[in-house]
Amino acid sequence: MITWVKIDRATGLLAGARQVLSPHFDARPAGVLPELLVVHGISLPPGEFGGPWIDRLFTGTLSADAHAYFREIAGQRVSAHALIRRDGQIVQYVAFGERAWHAGHSAYRGRTGCNDFSIGVELEGTDDTPYTDAQYEALAALSAALLTAYTSLAAQAIAGHSDISPGRKTDPGASFDWVRYRQLLDQALRTTTRG
Ligand SMILES: [Zn+2]
């Protein structure tokens, strides 16, 4: 059980995370609170893990020349609130109270523009590579911390990017084990409530 995951609600920052703050964010619409947690998968270049490229994409510093694939995506103004690397390390790009630019064209239960009312967490991985034990543990701990810090969130309102952008996005993919994540989250929430 990861116990160091704690969110400062005043700043929206996560203690224990590596902070790589991105310029790719803005304010949520007035009066709108985070009500949805979105799970994503990403790897750069696709299928490769461990490089500095995700940090660079999300901070607008990705060089189009570093890899053929980057020519397609360099210059995109995208971000997520956090990334969980293969070893379970959490990187935070955007304060949770702000609007990160992770969902794109999207709808959840008929409500469009999911960036407005969601928190986006990326897992470093692909649709068909199993995510790591450390990632499941970190995601469950982070999710429990978010649900505790933001009572507008709910354990019932957690979706994959593919759920809110069907036909356009496939992440986190069939490799993401929702049952396992749900079980770990339930455990983490019981621990959090007791604490
Ligand atoms: Zn995504």
Side-chain angles (χ1 to χ4, degrees), residues 150-165:
Y150 299 96
T151 54
S152 51
L153 291 170
Q156 295 75 28
I158 302 176
H161 199 184
S162 55
D163 300 318
I164 61 168
S165 301

Side-chain angles (χ1 to χ4, degrees), residues 38-42 102-103 121-122 160-162 165 169-172:
V38 180
V39 178
H40 297 260
I42 189 173
H102 58 97
V121 176
E122 302 271 358
H161 199 184
S162 55
S165 301
K169 293 290 178 180
T170 59
D171 60 300

Side-chain angles (χ1 to χ4, degrees), residues 75-98:
Q76 286 183 6
R77 302 193 73 213
V78 293
S79 61
H81 290 93
L83 166 72
I84 301 175
R85 313 250 14 185
R86 300 294 291 180
D87 64 359
Q89 182 195 48
I90 302 176
V91 185
Q92 182 169 19
Y93 302 99
V94 175
F96 296 114
E98 306 287 352

